[in-house]
Every structure is written in C-alpha cells, then in structure tokens.
Amino acid sequence: LKIVVCSEALCLRPARFLPRPRSLLTAMFPVRRVVSSIRPVGHAASPSSFRMLMAPALGKLGGFQKTSVRNFSVAGAPHGGTLVDLLKDPASAKAMAGSATKTFELNERQACDVFCLLNGGFSPLTGFMKEDEYDAVVKDMRLPSKELFGLPVTFDVPSSAGVKTGDKILLKWEGQDIAVLEAESVFKPNKVVEAKECYGTSSLEHPTVHSLIAELGDTYIGGKLHGISSPAFKYQTQTPAEVRANLPPGDVVAFQNRNPIHRAHFELLVCAQKDVAGCTLLVHPTCGPTQPGDIDGLVRIQTYEALRKETEQQYPMFRWAYLPYSMKMAGPREAIQHMIIRKNYGA
C-alpha cells in the first residue's frame, strides 16, 4: 500500500489540537510488496515538521519509509480485497424489517455513514463496528483482521432507547426504509479515550469532540447491515461501483476536500495530473456535515459544478463525484480514512 499526501498547506493548529492538512490530494495504489509510507509533495512545511504532524498516526503504521511517487501500479483492488455491497438482496432485508423490534430515524451524519457502509465506501466493513472492532481501531488503527482503518464507524443511540443484543433495528432516512441493523454488540464506549486517541484532545473546543461528548448517544450498537435502499440526498451521489465503472484503465489519483474549491485547489489538480503522467484525476469532495461555520454542502457542490463545466473540454481526464461523508476534523487519522475511501472508489 503506497500513500501519497499532497497539501496546499500544512498549517499548525493550537497545541491542544492535532495539526491537520487543510486539503488532501490522495493517491492509493496496490503494489506487490506491502509498504506503509507517507511523504509530503510540494508542501510548505519542512520534512521535520511534517514528521511531527503525522507522527501520531504513523506510529501506528510503522513509521516513515522513503518512497518515490513514480512507479505506481494500475489502480485496482478495494481495501481488504473485495468491494462490499450490502444492497444485493433488498427483498430479504425488507422481509427482515417486518420483524424489527426497534425503528430509528437517521440524522444526516448517520445517513452518510450508512451510505458508505451499504455501497462499499467503508470496505471491508459490513456494518457498524462491534465492540472488539471499535476498541482495535481506536487503540491501534487496525481492524481485528489487521486491515488498516483510521477512525471508528459507530451507530450511537441513547441508553434510554433500550436496545439489547439480538434486536433487529429498522433504519429510516427522511421517512424511507434504508436498512436493517442486527444488534450483535451493544456497549458503552469510553468517549474520553476515543477523543484523545482519535482527535488528539478531550477538549470540548474541538468541534467533533464536543459533538462526541455532548450530542452523541451514550450507547453504541454494532452489527451487520442489511440494505433496503441507498440513502438519497439533495445532491447527486455515485457509489464506488458506479465511479469505478466510469474510470478508464490506468492510474487514478483522487482529490479530497471539504471546502468550496478555489484557484489553489485547481492548481493542485493540474499539478497532480502532470506528476502522475497519464492518470485519471477523480475530484471527490465530501458534501455531508462538517464543523459549525463551514459553508453548506449544496453551496460547495455548486463551486465544483461551475469548475467542472469550465474545464471539461481542456481537462477530459478529470472525473467528478460527490461523497456523502460527515467530516470528523481528526487530522492524520482522518487523512488515512479518506485514503481508504478513495481507494475503494478506484484510486
């Protein structure tokens, strides 16, 4: 596994938070020999500051190894080797919904997670993390099966919901039946440990830590998902399988961003496409919830659509898709998470 991180700027944040790249251009390519390596490309920070920036995550990856951004192999296998599809048997899931003992209406953050789980964006996961999976990822950034994974993917409910192991839970989004969750694991997480491990702080000044402590339910439910239909959003989405079907043969570089696109971002796209000669460049911003004060996802999409129309003749090697994903502001760990998602989308 070769990971390349390209950032317009690596800006150090206050010491109480993990510093994070503001925008990431990520490329992940399978190679015959597994290598865990990250190196900066064209960034303003010194190598030593980059090492300091990425150290919390890279310590769990096994450290730095020097590598070249050349010699990429053809894009291919999803993370874990198989692209998960939990919508193969919606009729069976609908029948299972009839025996559901609980029903929950998803919020937007949860709907984004369900979208990524059902359609393989979070491959190799087949549902929300059970307690052993959650503990392994929080502590070591690895699933029990040893695959790398940056952040836990959990389904939270209040303890007052009374969910118990063995329950079948119908998940709805905007009134539509979406999936059935088998409650294989019902547990109370240590949220302080989760915050410190995943976000580098337990301070409520961090927006996601505040949400974790003050807003999320105190009980997590883990178990397999059975898909009925993919959540629909107010913007057009594509599944990993749909994106992969439209990618030409050869290397694929993916661009991740949560902000409206601007000139510096576009220069990154052009430079990356030149750096990996002959590649296809997948422009793949997130459009789900971010942090308070960020620009709305629908407005962000309008900036990408405007640029797509302006550049489609000159840059036919660019591909555009929008990802329903709830940003966590988790620094290096979230960078790893985004790389895994884009790998599943074909990069």
Side-chain angles (χ1 to χ4, degrees):
L1 178 67
K2 183 172 291 186
I3 305 172
V4 179
V5 178
C6 181
S7 173
E8 64 173 286
L10 297 177
C11 303
L12 296 182
R13 308 177 71 207
R16 62 184 179 274
F17 300 146
L18 277 176
R20 58 179 169 81
R22 292 183 60 190
S23 305
L24 293 172
L25 182 63
T26 63
M28 301 182 70
F29 300 89
V31 292
R32 292 182 182 178
R33 183 170 59 89
V34 175
V35 179
S36 295
S37 58
I38 294 183
R39 84 171 185 91
V41 180
H43 64 92
S46 66
S48 60
S49 64
F50 183 82
R51 287 172 182 269
M52 179 176 66
L53 172 76
M54 299 299 287
L58 288 171
K60 301 178 186 298
L61 284 173
F64 288 87
Q65 297 181 23
K66 292 183 179 180
T67 183
S68 168
V69 296
R70 308 293 178 179
N71 303 320
F72 290 138
S73 65
V74 174
H79 195 52
T82 302
L83 188 64
V84 171
D85 179 4
L86 302 180
L87 288 162
K88 288 182 178 178
D89 191 5
S92 176
K94 285 182 181 179
M96 187 179 293
S99 61
T101 54
K102 302 282 184 181
T103 299
F104 286 103
E105 179 72 25
L106 301 170
N107 58 39
E108 187 180 6
R109 171 181 52 80
Q110 293 169 330
C112 289
D113 285 345
V114 170
F115 177 94
C116 290
L117 286 167
L118 293 182
N119 294 295
F122 285 150
S123 296
L125 298 186
T126 58
F128 286 102
M129 289 183 179
K130 300 186 286 291
E131 187 171 11
D132 63 329
E133 296 169 318
Y134 165 83
D135 287 340
V137 170
V138 168
K139 294 175 183 176
D140 298 318
M141 282 176 52
R142 300 273 176 181
L143 294 167
S145 51
K146 303 307 179 184
E147 288 99 348
L148 179 69
F149 218 86
L151 292 167
V153 179
T154 59
F155 187 77
D156 64 289
V157 298
S159 56
S160 59
V163 177
K164 59 184 184 298
T165 303
D167 283 350
K168 292 182 175 63
I169 302 165
L170 176 62
L171 304 181
K172 302 172 77 74
W173 168 240
E174 296 188 336
Q176 300 296 313
D177 293 351
I178 297 300
V180 175
L181 170 61
E182 291 188 70
E184 300 174 54
S185 175
V186 180
F187 61 99
K188 290 185 181 295
N190 187 327
K191 292 188 177 182
V192 174
V193 171
E194 180 180 343
K196 288 183 176 179
E197 289 285 345
C198 295
Y199 309 108
T201 180
S202 58
S203 169
L204 296 181
E205 294 181 51
H206 188 292
T208 308
V209 173
H210 180 273
S211 176
L212 174 69
I213 302 297
E215 299 173 4
L216 269 65
D218 58 2
T219 301
Y220 289 173
I221 303 171
K224 185 173 177 57
L225 271 181
H226 302 268
I228 298 172
S229 64
S230 187
F233 299 89
K234 295 178 181 178
Y235 47 89
Q236 185 176 3
T237 61
Q238 294 183 56
T239 68
E242 290 169 339
V243 169
R244 283 171 167 270
N246 290 315
L247 292 175
D251 293 336
V252 179
V253 175
F255 174 76
Q256 141 64 21
N257 188 24
R258 80 171 205 277
N259 297 309
I261 195 165
H262 54 66
R263 181 69 187 190
H265 293 139
F266 180 68
E267 291 302 321
L268 272 175
L269 302 182
V270 174
C271 290
Q273 205 280 328
K274 292 179 180 177
D275 190 59
V276 185
C279 75
T280 299
L281 199 141
L282 174 62
V283 186
H284 201 223
T286 60
C287 302
T290 57
Q291 63 182 348
D294 274 1
I295 294 174
D296 181 75
L298 292 176
V299 177
R300 301 198 302 268
I301 287 176
Q302 290 176 18
T303 68
Y304 283 88
E305 282 296 290
L307 183 62
R308 180 184 64 80
K309 292 174 183 177
E310 288 181 11
T311 60
E312 58 188 357
Q313 296 298 322
Q314 187 176 359
Y315 297 98
M317 72 293 292
F318 287 10
R319 297 291 186 273
W320 305 75
Y322 305 115
L323 177 70
Y325 174 88
S326 176
M327 291 291 297
K328 306 298 188 294
M329 313 300 164
R333 273 182 173 251
E334 191 156 33
I336 301 296
Q337 195 87 330
H338 283 299
M339 293 172 189
I340 291 170
I341 293 170
R342 272 61 190 201
K343 182 183 179 186
N344 287 328
Y345 269 84

mmCIF file of all heavy atoms in Angstrom, residues 108 233-238 257-261 283-288 295-309 320-325:
data_model
loop_
_atom_site.group_PDB
_atom_site.id
_atom_site.type_symbol
_atom_site.label_atom_id
_atom_site.label_comp_id
_atom_site.label_asym_id
_atom_site.label_seq_id
_atom_site.Cartn_x
_atom_site.Cartn_y
_atom_site.Cartn_z
ATOM 1 N N GLU A 108 -28.368 13.227 9.618
ATOM 2 C CA GLU A 108 -27.567 13.306 8.390
ATOM 3 C C GLU A 108 -26.212 12.626 8.557
ATOM 4 O O GLU A 108 -25.726 11.953 7.638
ATOM 5 C CB GLU A 108 -27.371 14.759 7.966
ATOM 6 C CG GLU A 108 -26.687 14.885 6.609
ATOM 7 C CD GLU A 108 -26.476 16.319 6.160
ATOM 8 O OE1 GLU A 108 -26.764 17.245 6.957
ATOM 9 O OE2 GLU A 108 -26.011 16.535 5.011
ATOM 10 N N PHE A 233 -29.830 11.899 -1.107
ATOM 11 C CA PHE A 233 -29.519 13.220 -0.582
ATOM 12 C C PHE A 233 -29.976 14.291 -1.573
ATOM 13 O O PHE A 233 -30.478 13.965 -2.654
ATOM 14 C CB PHE A 233 -28.019 13.329 -0.291
ATOM 15 C CG PHE A 233 -27.539 12.336 0.737
ATOM 16 C CD1 PHE A 233 -27.100 11.071 0.357
ATOM 17 C CD2 PHE A 233 -27.550 12.648 2.085
ATOM 18 C CE1 PHE A 233 -26.670 10.138 1.302
ATOM 19 C CE2 PHE A 233 -27.119 11.730 3.040
ATOM 20 C CZ PHE A 233 -26.690 10.476 2.642
ATOM 21 N N LYS A 234 -29.784 15.538 -1.208
ATOM 22 C CA LYS A 234 -30.239 16.639 -2.056
ATOM 23 C C LYS A 234 -29.253 16.934 -3.190
ATOM 24 O O LYS A 234 -29.423 17.901 -3.918
ATOM 25 C CB LYS A 234 -30.458 17.893 -1.209
ATOM 26 C CG LYS A 234 -31.594 17.735 -0.195
ATOM 27 C CD LYS A 234 -31.743 18.976 0.664
ATOM 28 C CE LYS A 234 -32.859 18.790 1.686
ATOM 29 N NZ LYS A 234 -33.000 19.973 2.587
ATOM 30 N N TYR A 235 -28.252 16.110 -3.308
ATOM 31 C CA TYR A 235 -27.268 16.238 -4.378
ATOM 32 C C TYR A 235 -27.041 14.853 -4.972
ATOM 33 O O TYR A 235 -27.305 13.830 -4.339
ATOM 34 C CB TYR A 235 -25.954 16.834 -3.853
ATOM 35 C CG TYR A 235 -25.451 16.187 -2.576
ATOM 36 C CD1 TYR A 235 -24.613 15.074 -2.605
ATOM 37 C CD2 TYR A 235 -25.827 16.696 -1.334
ATOM 38 C CE1 TYR A 235 -24.162 14.484 -1.438
ATOM 39 C CE2 TYR A 235 -25.378 16.109 -0.159
ATOM 40 C CZ TYR A 235 -24.547 15.007 -0.216
ATOM 41 O OH TYR A 235 -24.107 14.421 0.943
ATOM 42 N N GLN A 236 -26.551 14.829 -6.189
ATOM 43 C CA GLN A 236 -26.338 13.555 -6.877
ATOM 44 C C GLN A 236 -25.114 12.857 -6.296
ATOM 45 O O GLN A 236 -24.070 13.470 -6.098
ATOM 46 C CB GLN A 236 -26.146 13.789 -8.375
ATOM 47 C CG GLN A 236 -26.037 12.498 -9.177
ATOM 48 C CD GLN A 236 -25.957 12.763 -10.669
ATOM 49 O OE1 GLN A 236 -25.927 13.912 -11.093
ATOM 50 N NE2 GLN A 236 -25.918 11.702 -11.459
ATOM 51 N N THR A 237 -25.258 11.583 -6.008
ATOM 52 C CA THR A 237 -24.147 10.794 -5.489
ATOM 53 C C THR A 237 -23.862 9.629 -6.422
ATOM 54 O O THR A 237 -24.706 9.226 -7.223
ATOM 55 C CB THR A 237 -24.467 10.248 -4.088
ATOM 56 O OG1 THR A 237 -25.628 9.397 -4.173
ATOM 57 C CG2 THR A 237 -24.741 11.375 -3.099
ATOM 58 N N GLN A 238 -22.657 9.096 -6.301
ATOM 59 C CA GLN A 238 -22.284 7.893 -7.031
ATOM 60 C C GLN A 238 -21.666 6.903 -6.059
ATOM 61 O O GLN A 238 -20.911 7.283 -5.162
ATOM 62 C CB GLN A 238 -21.280 8.209 -8.141
ATOM 63 C CG GLN A 238 -21.836 9.077 -9.259
ATOM 64 C CD GLN A 238 -20.817 9.295 -10.357
ATOM 65 O OE1 GLN A 238 -20.291 8.346 -10.937
ATOM 66 N NE2 GLN A 238 -20.521 10.552 -10.640
ATOM 67 N N ASN A 257 -11.554 17.102 -0.483
ATOM 68 C CA ASN A 257 -11.649 18.435 0.093
ATOM 69 C C ASN A 257 -13.030 18.591 0.723
ATOM 70 O O ASN A 257 -13.988 17.965 0.293
ATOM 71 C CB ASN A 257 -11.440 19.498 -1.001
ATOM 72 C CG ASN A 257 -11.331 20.898 -0.446
ATOM 73 O OD1 ASN A 257 -10.965 21.078 0.709
ATOM 74 N ND2 ASN A 257 -11.646 21.881 -1.252
ATOM 75 N N ARG A 258 -13.124 19.428 1.757
ATOM 76 C CA ARG A 258 -14.430 19.670 2.370
ATOM 77 C C ARG A 258 -14.900 21.095 2.107
ATOM 78 O O ARG A 258 -15.996 21.473 2.529
ATOM 79 C CB ARG A 258 -14.362 19.413 3.884
ATOM 80 C CG ARG A 258 -13.764 20.537 4.689
ATOM 81 C CD ARG A 258 -13.916 20.324 6.193
ATOM 82 N NE ARG A 258 -13.904 21.561 6.925
ATOM 83 C CZ ARG A 258 -12.814 22.219 7.310
ATOM 84 N NH1 ARG A 258 -11.629 21.739 7.004
ATOM 85 N NH2 ARG A 258 -12.910 23.340 7.976
ATOM 86 N N ASN A 259 -14.076 21.911 1.447
ATOM 87 C CA ASN A 259 -14.367 23.335 1.267
ATOM 88 C C ASN A 259 -14.780 23.644 -0.170
ATOM 89 O O ASN A 259 -14.556 22.835 -1.082
ATOM 90 C CB ASN A 259 -13.126 24.170 1.614
ATOM 91 C CG ASN A 259 -12.727 24.018 3.064
ATOM 92 O OD1 ASN A 259 -13.554 24.174 3.945
ATOM 93 N ND2 ASN A 259 -11.468 23.695 3.314
ATOM 94 N N PRO A 260 -15.360 24.824 -0.411
ATOM 95 C CA PRO A 260 -15.562 25.258 -1.795
ATOM 96 C C PRO A 260 -14.216 25.278 -2.517
ATOM 97 O O PRO A 260 -13.199 25.656 -1.938
ATOM 98 C CB PRO A 260 -16.139 26.677 -1.639
ATOM 99 C CG PRO A 260 -16.719 26.710 -0.271
ATOM 100 C CD PRO A 260 -15.851 25.815 0.568
ATOM 101 N N ILE A 261 -14.216 24.857 -3.752
ATOM 102 C CA ILE A 261 -12.947 24.788 -4.476
ATOM 103 C C ILE A 261 -12.515 26.184 -4.919
ATOM 104 O O ILE A 261 -13.338 27.027 -5.271
ATOM 105 C CB ILE A 261 -13.059 23.828 -5.680
ATOM 106 C CG1 ILE A 261 -11.669 23.465 -6.195
ATOM 107 C CG2 ILE A 261 -13.963 24.394 -6.764
ATOM 108 C CD1 ILE A 261 -11.665 22.261 -7.120
ATOM 109 N N VAL A 283 -12.004 13.954 -8.851
ATOM 110 C CA VAL A 283 -12.313 15.060 -7.943
ATOM 111 C C VAL A 283 -13.486 14.602 -7.077
ATOM 112 O O VAL A 283 -14.590 14.411 -7.567
ATOM 113 C CB VAL A 283 -12.670 16.337 -8.735
ATOM 114 C CG1 VAL A 283 -12.851 17.519 -7.781
ATOM 115 C CG2 VAL A 283 -11.594 16.645 -9.766
ATOM 116 N N HIS A 284 -13.231 14.421 -5.777
ATOM 117 C CA HIS A 284 -14.180 13.693 -4.932
ATOM 118 C C HIS A 284 -14.358 14.375 -3.582
ATOM 119 O O HIS A 284 -13.971 13.845 -2.531
ATOM 120 C CB HIS A 284 -13.669 12.254 -4.744
ATOM 121 C CG HIS A 284 -14.732 11.299 -4.341
ATOM 122 N ND1 HIS A 284 -14.548 10.338 -3.365
ATOM 123 C CD2 HIS A 284 -16.010 11.126 -4.784
ATOM 124 C CE1 HIS A 284 -15.643 9.621 -3.223
ATOM 125 N NE2 HIS A 284 -16.546 10.080 -4.079
ATOM 126 N N PRO A 285 -14.980 15.562 -3.552
ATOM 127 C CA PRO A 285 -15.160 16.277 -2.280
ATOM 128 C C PRO A 285 -16.261 15.664 -1.429
ATOM 129 O O PRO A 285 -17.178 15.017 -1.920
ATOM 130 C CB PRO A 285 -15.549 17.685 -2.738
ATOM 131 C CG PRO A 285 -16.246 17.460 -4.046
ATOM 132 C CD PRO A 285 -15.517 16.309 -4.705
ATOM 133 N N THR A 286 -16.157 15.895 -0.117
ATOM 134 C CA THR A 286 -17.216 15.496 0.794
ATOM 135 C C THR A 286 -18.292 16.569 0.836
ATOM 136 O O THR A 286 -17.995 17.759 0.754
ATOM 137 C CB THR A 286 -16.674 15.275 2.215
ATOM 138 O OG1 THR A 286 -16.089 16.488 2.687
ATOM 139 C CG2 THR A 286 -15.624 14.190 2.227
ATOM 140 N N CYS A 287 -19.534 16.138 0.992
ATOM 141 C CA CYS A 287 -20.660 17.078 0.958
ATOM 142 C C CYS A 287 -21.599 16.910 2.154
ATOM 143 O O CYS A 287 -22.674 17.497 2.178
ATOM 144 C CB CYS A 287 -21.448 16.894 -0.336
ATOM 145 S SG CYS A 287 -20.445 17.138 -1.804
ATOM 146 N N GLY A 288 -21.192 16.122 3.138
ATOM 147 C CA GLY A 288 -22.008 15.944 4.327
ATOM 148 C C GLY A 288 -21.701 16.984 5.387
ATOM 149 O O GLY A 288 -21.054 18.002 5.105
ATOM 150 N N ILE A 295 -19.270 26.249 5.130
ATOM 151 C CA ILE A 295 -20.266 26.525 4.093
ATOM 152 C C ILE A 295 -21.068 25.262 3.791
ATOM 153 O O ILE A 295 -20.533 24.153 3.754
ATOM 154 C CB ILE A 295 -19.574 27.076 2.833
ATOM 155 C CG1 ILE A 295 -18.958 28.439 3.155
ATOM 156 C CG2 ILE A 295 -20.536 27.188 1.663
ATOM 157 C CD1 ILE A 295 -18.129 29.029 2.035
ATOM 158 N N ASP A 296 -22.353 25.435 3.568
ATOM 159 C CA ASP A 296 -23.269 24.321 3.325
ATOM 160 C C ASP A 296 -22.815 23.470 2.141
ATOM 161 O O ASP A 296 -22.280 23.977 1.153
ATOM 162 C CB ASP A 296 -24.675 24.867 3.077
ATOM 163 C CG ASP A 296 -25.680 23.762 2.852
ATOM 164 O OD1 ASP A 296 -26.067 23.103 3.834
ATOM 165 O OD2 ASP A 296 -26.066 23.547 1.684
ATOM 166 N N GLY A 297 -23.067 22.151 2.252
ATOM 167 C CA GLY A 297 -22.637 21.219 1.228
ATOM 168 C C GLY A 297 -23.188 21.518 -0.150
ATOM 169 O O GLY A 297 -22.491 21.374 -1.161
ATOM 170 N N LEU A 298 -24.447 21.927 -0.241
ATOM 171 C CA LEU A 298 -25.038 22.223 -1.546
ATOM 172 C C LEU A 298 -24.349 23.406 -2.209
ATOM 173 O O LEU A 298 -24.163 23.429 -3.439
ATOM 174 C CB LEU A 298 -26.535 22.504 -1.384
ATOM 175 C CG LEU A 298 -27.393 21.302 -0.969
ATOM 176 C CD1 LEU A 298 -28.833 21.740 -0.760
ATOM 177 C CD2 LEU A 298 -27.317 20.196 -2.007
ATOM 178 N N VAL A 299 -23.933 24.380 -1.424
ATOM 179 C CA VAL A 299 -23.202 25.528 -1.975
ATOM 180 C C VAL A 299 -21.823 25.088 -2.434
ATOM 181 O O VAL A 299 -21.346 25.498 -3.499
ATOM 182 C CB VAL A 299 -23.091 26.654 -0.927
ATOM 183 C CG1 VAL A 299 -22.263 27.817 -1.467
ATOM 184 C CG2 VAL A 299 -24.478 27.139 -0.515
ATOM 185 N N ARG A 300 -21.180 24.204 -1.658
ATOM 186 C CA ARG A 300 -19.859 23.709 -2.046
ATOM 187 C C ARG A 300 -19.939 22.986 -3.386
ATOM 188 O O ARG A 300 -19.069 23.149 -4.249
ATOM 189 C CB ARG A 300 -19.310 22.771 -0.964
ATOM 190 C CG ARG A 300 -19.179 23.433 0.399
ATOM 191 C CD ARG A 300 -18.260 22.668 1.331
ATOM 192 N NE ARG A 300 -18.624 21.303 1.597
ATOM 193 C CZ ARG A 300 -19.384 20.890 2.607
ATOM 194 N NH1 ARG A 300 -19.916 21.776 3.438
ATOM 195 N NH2 ARG A 300 -19.626 19.611 2.811
ATOM 196 N N ILE A 301 -21.000 22.204 -3.570
ATOM 197 C CA ILE A 301 -21.143 21.470 -4.824
ATOM 198 C C ILE A 301 -21.274 22.425 -6.003
ATOM 199 O O ILE A 301 -20.746 22.166 -7.097
ATOM 200 C CB ILE A 301 -22.363 20.532 -4.749
ATOM 201 C CG1 ILE A 301 -22.047 19.346 -3.833
ATOM 202 C CG2 ILE A 301 -22.763 20.020 -6.132
ATOM 203 C CD1 ILE A 301 -23.202 18.412 -3.622
ATOM 204 N N GLN A 302 -21.955 23.533 -5.809
ATOM 205 C CA GLN A 302 -22.124 24.499 -6.901
ATOM 206 C C GLN A 302 -20.776 25.011 -7.397
ATOM 207 O O GLN A 302 -20.592 25.236 -8.598
ATOM 208 C CB GLN A 302 -22.994 25.661 -6.430
ATOM 209 C CG GLN A 302 -24.454 25.296 -6.218
ATOM 210 C CD GLN A 302 -25.279 26.439 -5.666
ATOM 211 O OE1 GLN A 302 -24.883 27.599 -5.739
ATOM 212 N NE2 GLN A 302 -26.423 26.130 -5.090
ATOM 213 N N THR A 303 -19.807 25.186 -6.495
ATOM 214 C CA THR A 303 -18.485 25.656 -6.930
ATOM 215 C C THR A 303 -17.785 24.596 -7.773
ATOM 216 O O THR A 303 -17.106 24.907 -8.750
ATOM 217 C CB THR A 303 -17.614 26.043 -5.725
ATOM 218 O OG1 THR A 303 -17.263 24.873 -4.960
ATOM 219 C CG2 THR A 303 -18.328 27.047 -4.823
ATOM 220 N N TYR A 304 -17.948 23.333 -7.397
ATOM 221 C CA TYR A 304 -17.335 22.245 -8.167
ATOM 222 C C TYR A 304 -18.000 22.091 -9.530
ATOM 223 O O TYR A 304 -17.345 21.846 -10.546
ATOM 224 C CB TYR A 304 -17.405 20.937 -7.381
ATOM 225 C CG TYR A 304 -16.373 20.851 -6.287
ATOM 226 C CD1 TYR A 304 -16.642 21.349 -5.019
ATOM 227 C CD2 TYR A 304 -15.114 20.303 -6.516
ATOM 228 C CE1 TYR A 304 -15.693 21.292 -4.008
ATOM 229 C CE2 TYR A 304 -14.160 20.243 -5.521
ATOM 230 C CZ TYR A 304 -14.454 20.746 -4.265
ATOM 231 O OH TYR A 304 -13.509 20.693 -3.269
ATOM 232 N N GLU A 305 -19.322 22.219 -9.545
ATOM 233 C CA GLU A 305 -20.035 22.101 -10.807
ATOM 234 C C GLU A 305 -19.654 23.224 -11.767
ATOM 235 O O GLU A 305 -19.517 23.006 -12.976
ATOM 236 C CB GLU A 305 -21.543 22.097 -10.554
ATOM 237 C CG GLU A 305 -22.069 20.760 -10.045
ATOM 238 C CD GLU A 305 -21.898 19.663 -11.081
ATOM 239 O OE1 GLU A 305 -22.595 19.688 -12.104
ATOM 240 O OE2 GLU A 305 -21.032 18.785 -10.869
ATOM 241 N N ALA A 306 -19.468 24.424 -11.236
ATOM 242 C CA ALA A 306 -19.055 25.547 -12.083
ATOM 243 C C ALA A 306 -17.683 25.275 -12.682
ATOM 244 O O ALA A 306 -17.462 25.496 -13.890
ATOM 245 C CB ALA A 306 -19.044 26.836 -11.270
ATOM 246 N N LEU A 307 -16.761 24.776 -11.865
ATOM 247 C CA LEU A 307 -15.417 24.482 -12.370
ATOM 248 C C LEU A 307 -15.443 23.324 -13.353
ATOM 249 O O LEU A 307 -14.725 23.339 -14.369
ATOM 250 C CB LEU A 307 -14.484 24.171 -11.200
ATOM 251 C CG LEU A 307 -13.025 23.907 -11.578
ATOM 252 C CD1 LEU A 307 -12.395 25.133 -12.224
ATOM 253 C CD2 LEU A 307 -12.221 23.485 -10.348
ATOM 254 N N ARG A 308 -16.248 22.322 -13.069
ATOM 255 C CA ARG A 308 -16.338 21.174 -13.982
ATOM 256 C C ARG A 308 -16.762 21.626 -15.377
ATOM 257 O O ARG A 308 -16.161 21.217 -16.387
ATOM 258 C CB ARG A 308 -17.337 20.149 -13.439
ATOM 259 C CG ARG A 308 -17.508 18.919 -14.317
ATOM 260 C CD ARG A 308 -18.581 17.992 -13.792
ATOM 261 N NE ARG A 308 -19.908 18.596 -13.815
ATOM 262 C CZ ARG A 308 -20.674 18.679 -14.908
ATOM 263 N NH1 ARG A 308 -20.231 18.194 -16.078
ATOM 264 N NH2 ARG A 308 -21.865 19.239 -14.843
ATOM 265 N N LYS A 309 -17.779 22.487 -15.436
ATOM 266 C CA LYS A 309 -18.267 22.949 -16.736
ATOM 267 C C LYS A 309 -17.240 23.811 -17.462
ATOM 268 O O LYS A 309 -17.115 23.756 -18.685
ATOM 269 C CB LYS A 309 -19.572 23.725 -16.543
ATOM 270 C CG LYS A 309 -20.732 22.836 -16.078
ATOM 271 C CD LYS A 309 -21.969 23.653 -15.758
ATOM 272 C CE LYS A 309 -23.100 22.774 -15.233
ATOM 273 N NZ LYS A 309 -24.301 23.557 -14.850
ATOM 274 N N TRP A 320 -15.623 13.617 -11.845
ATOM 275 C CA TRP A 320 -16.212 14.360 -10.738
ATOM 276 C C TRP A 320 -17.276 13.520 -10.054
ATOM 277 O O TRP A 320 -18.149 12.943 -10.709
ATOM 278 C CB TRP A 320 -16.828 15.666 -11.256
ATOM 279 C CG TRP A 320 -15.864 16.509 -12.030
ATOM 280 C CD1 TRP A 320 -15.434 16.287 -13.308
ATOM 281 C CD2 TRP A 320 -15.209 17.695 -11.597
ATOM 282 N NE1 TRP A 320 -14.546 17.265 -13.698
ATOM 283 C CE2 TRP A 320 -14.388 18.145 -12.665
ATOM 284 C CE3 TRP A 320 -15.241 18.435 -10.401
ATOM 285 C CZ2 TRP A 320 -13.607 19.296 -12.567
ATOM 286 C CZ3 TRP A 320 -14.464 19.577 -10.311
ATOM 287 C CH2 TRP A 320 -13.661 19.990 -11.383
ATOM 288 N N ALA A 321 -17.230 13.455 -8.740
ATOM 289 C CA ALA A 321 -18.249 12.739 -7.964
ATOM 290 C C ALA A 321 -18.296 13.362 -6.566
ATOM 291 O O ALA A 321 -17.320 13.955 -6.104
ATOM 292 C CB ALA A 321 -17.926 11.249 -7.871
ATOM 293 N N TYR A 322 -19.428 13.205 -5.893
ATOM 294 C CA TYR A 322 -19.629 13.841 -4.592
ATOM 295 C C TYR A 322 -19.937 12.781 -3.540
ATOM 296 O O TYR A 322 -20.745 11.882 -3.761
ATOM 297 C CB TYR A 322 -20.748 14.878 -4.682
ATOM 298 C CG TYR A 322 -20.464 15.895 -5.769
ATOM 299 C CD1 TYR A 322 -21.280 15.995 -6.891
ATOM 300 C CD2 TYR A 322 -19.337 16.708 -5.688
ATOM 301 C CE1 TYR A 322 -20.990 16.902 -7.904
ATOM 302 C CE2 TYR A 322 -19.038 17.618 -6.693
ATOM 303 C CZ TYR A 322 -19.864 17.705 -7.801
ATOM 304 O OH TYR A 322 -19.563 18.591 -8.798
ATOM 305 N N LEU A 323 -19.269 12.914 -2.392
ATOM 306 C CA LEU A 323 -19.318 11.880 -1.367
ATOM 307 C C LEU A 323 -20.114 12.326 -0.150
ATOM 308 O O LEU A 323 -19.771 13.322 0.497
ATOM 309 C CB LEU A 323 -17.889 11.534 -0.909
ATOM 310 C CG LEU A 323 -17.794 10.503 0.224
ATOM 311 C CD1 LEU A 323 -18.194 9.126 -0.279
ATOM 312 C CD2 LEU A 323 -16.379 10.476 0.800
ATOM 313 N N PRO A 324 -21.167 11.596 0.218
ATOM 314 C CA PRO A 324 -21.857 11.871 1.480
ATOM 315 C C PRO A 324 -21.009 11.333 2.638
ATOM 316 O O PRO A 324 -20.936 10.131 2.859
ATOM 317 C CB PRO A 324 -23.174 11.093 1.364
ATOM 318 C CG PRO A 324 -23.235 10.590 -0.042
ATOM 319 C CD PRO A 324 -21.830 10.517 -0.534
ATOM 320 N N TYR A 325 -20.341 12.211 3.327
ATOM 321 C CA TYR A 325 -19.445 11.814 4.413
ATOM 322 C C TYR A 325 -19.439 12.924 5.447
ATOM 323 O O TYR A 325 -19.342 14.106 5.103
ATOM 324 C CB TYR A 325 -18.030 11.571 3.882
ATOM 325 C CG TYR A 325 -16.991 11.286 4.956
ATOM 326 C CD1 TYR A 325 -16.767 9.989 5.406
ATOM 327 C CD2 TYR A 325 -16.240 12.315 5.518
ATOM 328 C CE1 TYR A 325 -15.827 9.729 6.397
ATOM 329 C CE2 TYR A 325 -15.296 12.060 6.506
ATOM 330 C CZ TYR A 325 -15.095 10.766 6.937
ATOM 331 O OH TYR A 325 -14.162 10.524 7.917
#
